[in-house]
Amino acid sequence: MPSEPTPLIIAIAILLMMIGGMSISIQAPINATLNRFLDDPVLTACVSFFVGFVALLIIWLAGVVSSGRGFALPDLAEAPSWVWIGGLLGTTYVLAALWSVPRVGVVTLVAAAVLGQLLAALVIDATGAFGLEARAVSPTRIMAVVLVLGGLLLSRV
């Protein structure tokens, strides 16, 4: 079992995820604007993912070059088959956001996305799915989800 992270590591993780969350809020209207020009949500998602792919490829290549470890790719034959659906899940989010943001706005979109994330997270934590350590679903954690649901409902008032 891994050791508990230090308060500094926890603070950094929270800050990074806040930046990631801000990126999601900013990404949705940017992609919606791109979609107005392309007039095709699937093509818009392709462009968005292509730009992300190029950025990640550059970062990966810079890491390979700076580490001197070479360009060998690991053997993924032993990886569970479900590891391949991560990109599909990202596609689901991007397409759902493209369609939803002009209809409900960014606050409602993000509140709904966070609620969906929290519901899935409760199940994952409770079951220890995907090789993670199971964690208790406490009344406090359930209340956190209920409060986000309240925020979602209030975003539409």
Side-chain angles (χ1 to χ4, degrees), residues 37-51:
F37 288 95
L38 296 178
D39 195 30
D40 184 330
V42 175
L43 178 59
T44 299
C46 287
V47 170
S48 179
F49 277 96
F50 178 73
V51 171

Side-chain angles (χ1 to χ4, degrees), residues 11-123:
I12 291 170
I14 289 171
L15 179 62
L16 287 174
M17 288 314 302
M18 287 174 64
I19 292 168
M22 290 175 189
S23 297
I24 288 172
S25 292
I26 296 166
Q27 177 191 35
I30 287 173
N31 281 347
T33 301
L34 178 61
N35 190 52
R36 285 198 304 270
F37 288 95
L38 296 178
D39 195 30
D40 184 330
V42 175
L43 178 59
T44 299
C46 287
V47 170
S48 179
F49 277 96
F50 178 73
V51 171
F53 170 77
V54 169
L56 288 171
L57 186 61
I58 290 168
I59 292 167
W60 176 71
L61 288 171
V64 166
V65 168
S66 68
S67 72
R69 67 178 182 255
F71 291 96
L73 294 174
D75 180 15
L76 294 173
E78 300 298 317
S81 58
W82 49 261
V83 301
W84 298 102
I85 66 169
L88 292 175
L89 297 172
T91 300
T92 301
Y93 169 78
V94 168
L95 289 174
L98 272 172
W99 188 87
S100 299
V101 75
R103 290 163 176 82
V104 299
V106 179
V107 170
T108 300
L109 176 140
V110 171
V114 170
L115 179 61
Q117 288 174 322
L118 288 173
L119 291 171
L122 282 176
V123 172

